[in-house]
């Protein structure tokens, strides 16, 4: 197969950080080439170089054998490179059609946008993806699910006739079903001759769709292999540079006294009559499709959203908070799913963000206890293997997965009685995932009650001591660890039956 893209000796340094160090990479026409590596390995940095967002410190890029310079985003576009970034980038106040043709809208002789042509063209692109009936050209991104927004981004890439399509963790916030659909699209594009660079921390899908894989570690090129020539364990070893035997820690927990009881939670719109209880030492899994209401329940309990009717008791005492601060004081903390919106102050460093929720505890008189602060910050950086130059690293400049680790550290630092984790391992690499699973089970052993929301079925099945399934705002099932099976959980979560 002919090589369409070649990168030679590419380095990228950010004031002191060698994000990439003389890496190499090549891409063939009509192949899916996955780029793998731990959080902070340099994957997104390489992608941003191809997208014209970063210029390399050194090295050469060739397209169809000819050396090219990609100095700005428009250079990448002209070369037929389209990128779907880790964070979605649709313009919220523009329609689907306008987003697809952003910066290239057809105009009439008068100079005004030719709306009719715009809509017709957009419709044709959506049709090529087979989603014209689900996504309407005049819809706004806010009305679409994350999966649909992603389809719009793919439609944009298709509409410019991309030769190279790059996807940076496209399935990170998709459900299993949406993931299957997306992978089918990717396969279809490949068959149409598009060359695809694919980044994902989900190993199963990497094995399912890749022709080749390339592994980076700490900004360095490690290896390229045909997918047929490597095993799952080989790939993990290449990525983490050490042997990793277990993916899940042993879960052997004893249920203690009741911590939280919630009865008849109803918000009058979507959530209907939700009741559950949580005990010390439990990891209570919440499984359901994205949008099934799991996050909404927790936001009411934590005091982020208001307006739901319910009765709740925390350790036997009536419990209702009017804001997150009160919840934290009562011993409950919520690690939110969307770190960009709710989790971090991105212009501040790791230290600032880690102790953000416990500042008042660290203040003695007028001074903060710097020594204790440092201990806490370093403990969590070490535990989760956060990759950063130091605790003074600005969080906005950390890789996606490392930002997620800081969000978790901030929550754990509050020493909660109840820890609510909403998709805690989204975007986290295999090695660090294990560390996070271990931390969750250790906390449960110490008597913390854990609510664990996840769309990844394997981790729900392996970690939970009990699972509640949700479907369209309702609780559809509750299964003890002994009863757990993939089939049953999926059946209840898709509304197939109630238990
Ligand atoms: N703008 C920036 N300024 C300073 N350092 C940066 C910047 N962007 C990235 N880095 C650093 O470069 C390294 C590589 O980051 P990159 O985002 O490429 O990792 P990644 O492989 O995509 O990780 P993840 O799987 O977590 O998304 C990290 O150490 C990160 O902190
Ligand atoms: Mg990344």
């Amino acid at each position: 197969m002919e090589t369409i893209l070649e990168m030679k000796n590419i380095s990228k340094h950010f004031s002191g950080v060698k994000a990439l160090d003389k890496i190499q990479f090549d891409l063939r026409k009509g192949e899916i080439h996955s780029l793998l590596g731990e959080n902070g390995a340099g994957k997104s940095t390489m992608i941003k170089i191809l997208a014209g967002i970063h210029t390399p410190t050194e090295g050469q890029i060739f397209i169809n054998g000819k050396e090219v310079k990609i100095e700005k985003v428009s250079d990448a576009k002209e070369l037929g490179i389209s990128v779907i970034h880790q964070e979605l980038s649709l313009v919220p106040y523009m329609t689907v059609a306008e987003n697809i043709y952003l910066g290239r809208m057809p105009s009439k002789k008068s100079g005004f946008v030719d709306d009719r042509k715009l809509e017709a063209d957009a419709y044709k692109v959506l049709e090529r993806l087979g989603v014209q009936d689900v996504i309407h050209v005049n819809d706004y991104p806010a009305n679409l699910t994350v999966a649909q927004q992603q389809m719009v981004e793919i439609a944009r890439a298709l509409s410019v006739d991309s030769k190279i399509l790059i996807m940076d963790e496209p399935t990170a916030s998709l459900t299993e079903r949406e993931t299957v659909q997306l992978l089918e699209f990717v396969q279809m594009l490949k068959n149409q001759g598009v060359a695809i660079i694919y980044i994902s921390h989900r190993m199963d899908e990497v094995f399912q769709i890749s022709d080749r894989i390339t592994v980076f570690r700490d900004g360095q090129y490690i290896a390229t292999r045909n997918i047929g020539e490597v095993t799952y364990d080989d790939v993990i070893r290449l990525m983490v540079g050490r042997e990793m035997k277990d993916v899940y820690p042993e879960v052997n927990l004893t249920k203690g006294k009741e911590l939280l009881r919630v009865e008849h939670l109803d918000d009058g719109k979507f959530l209907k009559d939700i009741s559950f209880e949580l005990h010390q030492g439990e990891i209570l899994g919440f499984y359901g499709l994205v949008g099934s209401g799991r996050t909404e329940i927790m936001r009411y309990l934590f005091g982020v959203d208001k307006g739901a009717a319910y009765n709740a008791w925390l350790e036997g005492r009536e419990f209702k908070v009017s804001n997150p601060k009160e919840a934290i004081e009562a011993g409950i903390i919520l690690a939110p799913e969307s770190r960009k919106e709710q989790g971090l102050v991105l212009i501040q460093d790791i230290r600032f963000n880690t102790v953000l929720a416990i500042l008042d505890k660290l203040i003695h008189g007028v001074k903060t206890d710097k020594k204790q602060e440092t201990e806490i910050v370093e403990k969590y950086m070490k535990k989760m293997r956060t990759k950063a130059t130091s605790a003074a690293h600005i969080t906005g400049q950390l890789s996606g997965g490392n930002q997620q680790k800081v969000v978790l550290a901030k929550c754990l630092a509050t020493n909660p009685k109840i820890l609510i984790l909403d998709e805690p391992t989204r975007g986290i690499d295999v090695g660090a995932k294990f560390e996070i699973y271990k931390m969750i089970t250790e906390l449960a052993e110490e008597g913390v009650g854990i609510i664990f929301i996840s769309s990844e079925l394997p981790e729900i099945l392996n970690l939970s001591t009990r699972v509640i399934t949700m479907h369209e705002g309702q609780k559809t099932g509750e299964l003890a660890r002994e009863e757990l099976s993939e089939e049953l959980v999926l059946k209840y979560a898709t509304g197939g039956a109630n238990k």
Side-chain angles (χ1 to χ4, degrees), residues 12-15 17-20 36-46 48 54 86 168-169 199 201 216 219 339 387-389 393-394 396-403 427-429:
K12 177 67 189 175
H13 302 173
F14 296 104
S15 53
V17 181
K18 278 191 180 174
L20 290 175
L36 304 175
E38 291 186 289
N39 296 131
K43 304 178 297 291
S44 296
T45 304
M46 183 189 107
K48 286 178 185 160
H54 292 324
Q86 211 160 354
D168 195 350
E169 293 193 45
I199 299 180
H201 288 292
F216 288 175
R339 55 184 172 257
K387 185 165 183 275
T389 43
H393 205 126
I394 301 297
Q397 296 178 353
L398 291 173
S399 76
N402 284 302
Q403 288 180 11
I428 301 260
D429 68 60

Side-chain angles (χ1 to χ4, degrees), residues 78 116 292 347:
E78 274 164 33
R116 215 183 275 159
S292 59
I347 53 163

Side-chain angles (χ1 to χ4, degrees), residues 103 313 364 452:
W313 295 265
H364 301 299
F452 180 50

Side-chain angles (χ1 to χ4, degrees), residues 405-431:
K405 293 177 194 173
V406 181
V407 174
L408 288 176
K410 174 181 122 181
C411 295
L412 294 177
T414 64
N415 263 331
K417 288 181 194 151
I418 297 177
L419 172 64
I420 308 173
L421 299 164
D422 196 351
E423 306 279 6
T425 62
R426 181 180 287 174
I428 301 260
D429 68 60
V430 273

